[in-house]
Amino acid sequence: DDTQIIFTLEQGVGVITLNRPERLNSFTAVMHAELARALDTLEAHAGLRGVILTGAGRGFCAGQDLAERKPAEDGSRRDLSENLEKHYKPLILRLRALPAPVVCVMNGVAAGAGASLALACDVVFAVESARFIQAFSKIGLLPDAGGTWFLPRLVGSARAMGAALFGEALSARQAEAWGLIWRVVPDADLAATLAEVRATLAAGPTRAYAATKAALHASSGNTLAQQFDLECGLQRQLGYTDDYLEGMRAFAQKRAPAFKGR
Ligand code: T3D
């Protein structure tokens, strides 16, 4: 039985809750294996409409479980890239590649690779008391799990550099003001936010969401002309979807659209 994450998939929306609250949901090899299995299910689900990532307890994710990675007594060193290659790289790349939005509903602190996980999501809501901590420099490491890629793209190199080098806690409000995340919500609204996001994803124009995600993610590596070509190709496909027809009819009839995700 899965123990370190709780995974549900209803109405096409997967909800992954990191579930080691006593260790602020820090990553272990077991948790990575459970996440990989959840991703297998999500990738195989033809009717996938969205994914929500959140955490149990007062933390979202404190990054790598440091107790699991204690240095050997004899002082011998290890190759840290193995853990990154085996666990973090597939996790982050698979989440980014899912053909549906991945929304982080951050219930508390995100540190180290936990912050990278949040930033890998397509949209981040965070409760007011949440903090982002680039904890890596405190233990003599650089931001990993995609951190050095996400940070400068989201907030620019000056803020990325300061946050990464000094590792100070960044409040949810500051993160929102910097454009690191989409929106701060009151702590008391955590469950309501999750329910609202779930309902939005389950009723959304899934094909349009997938195209939007793909195009926005591709933009940083494209010229404007290449991006036009990408938009043309994707919009051509969306023009043939049931959801586009429904959206246009609903507009003409002055009613809310009832999207089916196809
Ligand atoms: O090994 C490799 O492959 C390298 C990979 C690197 C990837 C990374 O993610 S490196 C960065 C790892 N993460 C950190 O350095 C963050 C460590 N945690 C903290 O700095 C603090 O816990 C927080 C700032 C996140 C939260 O502080 P606070 O005061 O709210 O909570 P706390 O009391 O520190 O934590 C509560 C408990 O969770 C505590 O245990 P205790 O004392 O009640 O028995 C604490 O030790 C534990 N905990 C928190 N983070 C981790 C952890 N245990 C293991 N690993 C953690 N990362």
Side-chain angles (χ1 to χ4, degrees):
D1 266 6
D2 287 353
T3 54
Q4 300 195 0
I5 68 167
I6 301 165
F7 175 52
T8 61
L9 180 51
E10 287 162 20
Q11 295 176 289
V13 181
V15 179
I16 297 175
T17 306
L18 306 179
N19 191 35
R20 299 182 71 228
E22 69 292 348
R23 288 284 168 268
L24 303 183
N25 303 318
S26 50
F27 288 106
T28 62
V30 169
M31 186 189 277
H32 275 294
E34 291 176 8
L35 286 166
R37 282 203 295 278
L39 276 160
D40 290 342
T41 304
L42 292 167
E43 286 167 353
H45 188 63
L48 186 67
R49 302 190 77 170
V51 177
I52 299 173
L53 266 177
T54 190
R58 72 178 178 87
F60 169 65
C61 179
Q64 173 63 44
D65 183 317
L66 298 177
E68 199 179 69
R69 307 280 294 167
K70 277 205 195 101
E73 296 290 332
D74 65 2
S76 57
R77 315 300 163 94
R78 67 152 67 93
D79 179 353
L80 296 187
S81 73
E82 283 169 11
N83 190 23
L84 285 172
E85 286 284 352
K86 181 169 175 208
H87 293 129
Y88 292 97
K89 187 176 174 186
L91 170 65
I92 300 297
L93 293 183
R94 290 175 80 186
L95 284 171
R96 296 281 289 188
L98 281 176
V102 178
V103 179
C104 181
V105 179
M106 233 177 90
N107 55 301
V109 67
S116 302
L117 175 67
L119 300 183
C121 295
D122 301 309
V123 178
V124 183
F125 291 83
V127 295
E128 192 133 29
S129 67
R131 293 164 293 152
F132 286 85
I133 308 177
Q134 294 298 321
F136 305 90
S137 63
K138 311 250 187 234
I139 55 168
L141 298 181
L142 89 157
D144 63 18
T148 59
W149 194 89
F150 296 121
L151 271 175
R153 281 171 174 74
L154 288 164
V155 299
S157 62
R159 285 168 168 165
M161 200 62 94
L165 292 179
F166 304 134
E168 290 167 16
L170 194 69
S171 69
R173 282 269 167 237
Q174 188 71 65
E176 185 190 55
W178 278 12
L180 190 68
I181 63 169
W182 165 236
R183 184 168 290 165
V184 176
V185 297
D187 285 58
D189 291 355
L190 174 66
T193 301
L194 202 144
E196 210 175 298
V197 170
R198 190 205 292 246
T200 302
L201 294 175
T206 306
R207 300 272 307 275
Y209 283 170
T212 303
K213 172 173 175 168
L216 286 175
H217 284 333
S219 72
S220 64
N222 275 348
T223 62
L224 179 57
Q226 287 168 328
Q227 196 67 13
F228 260 94
D229 293 343
L230 180 62
E231 287 177 3
C232 281
L234 292 168
Q235 207 72 298
R236 183 184 309 117
Q237 292 170 22
L238 293 177
Y240 294 106
T241 62
D242 292 349
D243 282 347
Y244 170 60
L245 203 61
E246 166 61 9
M248 292 297 282
R249 281 184 180 145
F251 176 76
Q253 294 164 9
K254 297 190 186 299
R255 60 172 174 81
F259 293 126
K260 298 278 190 298
R262 48 177 195 259

